[in-house]
Amino acid sequence: MFQRNNNVDKELDQVVRAMVKEAKQEYDGVLPIMQAGEPVLRTPSADYVGQLAPKTFASLIEVMRTTMLDAPGVGLAAPQIGLGLRFAVLEDHVSEQELADMREQGIEDPRESAELPFRVIINPSYTPIGQETRSFYEGCLSVEGYQAVRKRWLDIDAQWTDEHGKQHREQMHGWPARIFQHETDHLHGELYIDKAQLRSLSADELLGEYWYDPVPTEAARELGFTLE
Ligand code: ZN
């Protein structure tokens, strides 16, 4: 669908090629990440229909992945690098050792983390499956230095198109479902803080010091918010 060259916006294509070139030549393939306050983060993005030439798109995806891993983060949406187009990259890995250690100690992972292989999600959407939600601390590369508790759907029906134009529909659960929701929301001009428990807002370094328990019961009591 988006490989048709007649949808290419030549001006935009040139801008993106220059962005990618600069990132590769000057910054080890890392793009600057827009911070909250940039209008592009608050503007609903346009459907991606091949506004970029296939080669430009492929090299952009490569630098978006490098940027995400460098941050480090587990997702990066196009508006976060200043592009109002509906796509994002995702990738999260769980250490098998960590999971085995937890099992051995009889600890369940309340976040329900799971392998999320590298994915390009184009024009993604989701709908909840059931009504179950979970509330955990969550952060965003565009709201640097802070995290807050955000309630999310536990299970979703996720749909997207990949970089080869193939359509996907998958049921996602737990932490990977949270990442998918977070990145898809970026494409609507939302930030996770819009629906977060604002009283839970915590600087990253304090999170490690006080609120490392993944279930934020104590944070709710001490900081004064309702854990839903
Ligand atoms: Zn984000």
Side-chain angles (χ1 to χ4, degrees):
M1 159 188 80
F2 37 78
Q3 261 124 8
R4 285 215 323 257
N5 279 327
N6 55 2
N7 283 342
V8 174
D9 177 335
K10 290 204 174 94
E11 220 169 290
L12 182 66
D13 190 74
Q14 209 163 13
V15 169
V16 171
R17 269 192 285 150
M19 269 170 64
V20 168
K21 193 174 166 194
E22 193 188 0
K24 284 188 171 173
Q25 287 183 349
E26 315 270 342
Y27 304 103
D28 293 327
V30 173
L31 293 160
I33 299 176
M34 304 290 127
Q35 293 300 306
E38 286 284 352
V40 67
L41 290 170
R42 291 317 203 165
T43 312
S45 294
D47 279 347
Y48 185 66
V49 291
Q51 291 91 327
L52 302 175
K55 210 174 140 191
T56 310
F57 185 70
S59 56
L60 174 67
I61 292 302
E62 190 192 324
V63 293
M64 281 178 72
R65 186 183 190 189
T66 306
T67 304
M68 167 180 72
L69 297 175
D70 174 77
V74 293
L76 186 70
Q80 294 184 277
I81 49 146
L83 281 179
L85 295 172
R86 287 199 352 108
F87 56 83
V89 292
L90 320 172
E91 181 170 7
D92 192 22
H93 300 288
V94 287
S95 135
E96 279 305 316
Q97 188 57 49
E98 227 170 277
L99 288 179
D101 287 350
M102 281 176 113
R103 272 195 301 270
E104 210 166 273
Q105 295 169 46
I107 307 167
E108 298 259 334
D109 169 19
R111 294 193 189 95
E112 300 183 73
S113 305
E115 267 304 287
L116 178 58
F118 175 70
R119 272 182 194 157
V120 180
I121 56 167
I122 298 167
N123 303 328
S125 63
Y126 65 84
T127 49
I129 302 172
Q131 294 297 310
E132 263 202 89
T133 57
R134 292 287 183 275
S135 290
F136 294 116
Y137 267 101
E138 178 176 321
C140 176
L141 299 177
S142 294
V143 188
E144 239 174 42
Y146 289 92
Q147 295 190 36
V149 171
R150 170 72 195 250
K151 184 168 83 173
R152 297 267 184 203
W153 300 112
L154 179 62
D155 292 284
I156 55 165
D157 178 9
Q159 295 194 51
W160 72 96
T161 301
D162 71 18
E163 66 275 37
H164 310 294
K166 192 174 170 223
Q167 295 199 15
H168 296 260
R169 182 172 185 176
E170 203 177 285
Q171 296 194 358
M172 295 178 82
H173 174 81
W175 204 255
R178 175 172 292 260
I179 297 169
F180 193 96
Q181 291 171 72
H182 179 120
E183 298 311 327
T184 302
D185 291 355
H186 268 300
L187 306 174
H188 299 297
E190 288 180 27
L191 291 174
Y192 82 100
I193 46 172
D194 297 350
K195 291 174 189 161
Q197 286 279 1
L198 282 186
R199 288 191 64 109
S200 71
L201 191 72
S202 176
D204 283 339
E205 57 273 23
L206 295 181
L207 210 72
E209 199 170 328
Y210 302 140
W211 317 124
Y212 45 81
D213 185 352
V215 181
T217 316
E218 208 186 326
R221 192 171 54 234
E222 298 282 327
L223 300 177
F225 62 91
T226 311
L227 191 58
E228 295 172 279

